[in-house]
Amino acid sequence: MADQDGPTAAGAPRSTTPRAASAHLPRARHEHLLRQVELHGSVRSARAAAELGVSEVTVRCDIVELERAGLLARVHGGAIALASAGAPQAARLLVGVVVPGTTVHFPDVVRGMESISHAQHARLVLGVSHYRPDVEEKQVARLLALGVDGLLLAPTARGRGEEEIASWITSIPVPTLLLERRFGSMALRGFDSVRTDHAHGAALAVDHFAALGHRRVALAVYDRTPTAPSVRDGHREASRRHALAAAPDVRLPKGEEDPEALEEALHALLDECAATGTTSVLVHTDDHATRLVEAALDRGLDVPRDLAVVAYDDEVAGFAPVPLTAVTPPRRALGREALRTLVERVGETGPRGPARHVELLPTLTVRRSCGPPTPASPR
């Protein structure tokens, strides 16, 4: 059993001495630290030192003692609760993750991070911005207040320019890695980043169409996403490389906000394809591609004989009326790579090393929506 100056269990009797008078007693300090971990899951050395009226060095020494006693886990800048009494390895880093949403694309990215978080000695804390800069900044501030050692961030560009984003991110006092974003700003390019090479993914789709004999590849893109510009770049580059004829290029509305507008846009696309002899189309996203297939079937068209379709993204592509060939981003691999890169950055000592930009390549998942054209198909 620990003596009065040793580590105490979270359930030990509380001292009745006022904090101002007892803060310099190890037992009182230990109780305070354990209580903060019990309530919040973590405690920061700097904040605890200010609350107790002692130096950070004293608090860090207390945390070391409590860790040796198996009552918490020490991390950079403070301590966190043990995941379980029998955990073979305790987390050493608290990592904040801020993504735009939890319904499309990013859930699998976060699952990839989670799959290696134990091996990386990291605990993840998630914040969601809903594509709102004000919410995003509040989420980052909340994570910083929790004492995160590093930040994985997919910044929102809506309503602000790159220089504004760069100025804000530069002010974040912990290592920050940018997720799934392509920026032209030199300031933003100075940050570590891990993203999918979406231009390569679009080029894969065009290459596949060309290999099947299609000479025109239409493009239909939901433009209100950070992915859309790269999809356009990849489609354009691959179409030039294969010397393909001009084909329809349309912008699609979201659909959930105005289903009738999306239906009109899809039927207009089908009209353009028929008028130009276009027999293949790359559609971003896979939800939009599914609806295009439905519209084509309603017209009596055969997919893929009359119209071959490749979806960009692979969330629901396999569940379309005609299962969709799809460009499949490496979401989980991206999450794993991002967390590894950030943990390595946080662990650096001495001068900061050069920024790291990692691009992962998507793959093409071939299904029924993109088969060989028949000799009778128009070109």
Side-chain angles (χ1 to χ4, degrees):
M1 181 175 179
D3 62 22
Q4 187 172 353
D5 290 339
T8 60
R14 303 294 185 219
S15 169
T16 57
T17 308
R19 179 179 296 176
S22 64
H24 294 287
L25 297 176
R27 183 186 182 98
R29 295 197 306 270
H30 294 173
E31 289 179 349
H32 176 78
L33 293 170
L34 291 169
R35 181 62 175 166
Q36 292 304 304
V37 169
E38 179 184 353
L39 290 174
H40 306 294
S42 65
V43 63
R44 298 299 293 167
S45 300
R47 177 176 293 182
E51 291 171 345
L52 294 168
V54 297
S55 71
E56 285 190 54
V57 173
T58 297
V59 171
R60 286 196 291 268
C61 290
D62 289 338
I63 288 174
V64 169
E65 289 188 49
L66 291 169
E67 182 181 48
R68 288 172 179 167
L71 299 175
L72 48 69
R74 184 161 46 107
V75 297
H76 180 74
I80 61 174
L82 291 172
S84 65
Q89 292 180 329
R92 291 290 183 270
L93 298 174
L94 194 60
V95 175
V97 183
V98 179
V99 296
T102 56
T103 57
V104 178
H105 189 75
F106 284 101
D108 265 353
V109 174
V110 175
R111 290 186 188 103
M113 298 173 190
E114 183 184 24
S115 70
I116 66 163
S117 61
H118 181 71
Q120 294 294 316
H121 301 248
R123 175 183 171 229
L124 305 178
V125 184
L126 181 66
V128 181
S129 70
H130 305 289
Y131 289 99
R132 289 179 50 187
D134 59 328
V135 174
E136 183 172 276
E137 293 183 16
K138 288 179 181 178
Q139 292 285 25
V140 169
R142 178 179 64 81
L143 292 170
L144 292 173
L146 284 175
V148 295
D149 300 290
L151 192 65
L152 296 164
L153 172 65
T156 297
R158 293 180 187 175
R160 56 183 175 177
E162 288 193 6
E163 295 308 317
E164 182 181 352
I165 296 172
S167 177
W168 170 56
I169 296 178
T170 300
S171 72
I172 296 174
V174 298
T176 301
L177 182 146
L178 306 183
L179 290 170
E180 285 288 49
R181 294 294 182 262
R182 182 181 69 170
F183 292 114
S185 164
M186 292 302 293
L188 286 170
R189 288 180 62 80
F191 287 92
D192 294 331
S193 69
V194 176
R195 71 181 189 92
T196 304
D197 187 344
H198 294 296
H200 175 82
L204 281 179
V206 176
D207 289 348
H208 186 66
F209 283 131
L212 295 174
H214 295 278
R215 300 309 304 158
R216 297 177 189 268
V217 180
L219 179 65
V221 176
Y222 172 49
D223 269 325
R224 289 175 57 192
T225 72
T227 302
S230 296
V231 172
R232 289 192 175 282
D233 289 347
H235 175 273
R236 180 172 56 252
E237 182 277 329
S239 296
R240 288 175 180 168
R241 178 159 39 84
H242 291 287
L244 300 183
D249 183 339
V250 302
R251 297 184 177 188
L252 298 176
K254 185 174 183 179
E256 295 176 1
E257 299 169 351
D258 191 347
E260 292 182 359
L262 177 57
E263 185 175 358
E264 289 177 6
L266 293 174
H267 280 285
L269 171 60
L270 292 173
D271 290 339
E272 285 192 62
C273 288
T276 58
T278 300
T279 55
S280 62
V281 57
L282 170 61
V283 186
H284 171 268
T285 64
D286 58 340
D287 178 62
H288 291 78
T290 297
R291 299 191 192 195
L292 177 66
V293 169
E294 293 170 350
L297 295 177
D298 288 344
R299 287 191 173 200
L301 298 176
D302 182 280
V303 177
R305 186 178 63 83
D306 299 318
L307 184 70
V309 180
V310 171
Y312 197 97
D313 218 347
D314 200 1
E315 295 276 354
V316 296
F319 303 101
V322 178
L324 290 163
T325 294
V327 178
T328 306
R331 291 184 286 264
R332 295 202 181 202
L334 185 139
R336 292 192 293 270
E337 185 65 29
L339 183 58
R340 287 192 196 101
T341 302
L342 182 68
V343 168
E344 185 175 343
R345 177 68 75 191
V346 171
E348 282 184 345
T349 58
R352 182 182 184 273
R356 303 161 197 170
H357 293 178
V358 179
E359 286 191 331
L360 303 185
L361 302 184
T363 56
L364 190 70
T365 303
V366 178
R367 300 189 181 97
R368 287 171 47 201
S369 71
C370 194
T374 65
S377 296
R379 290 289 173 267

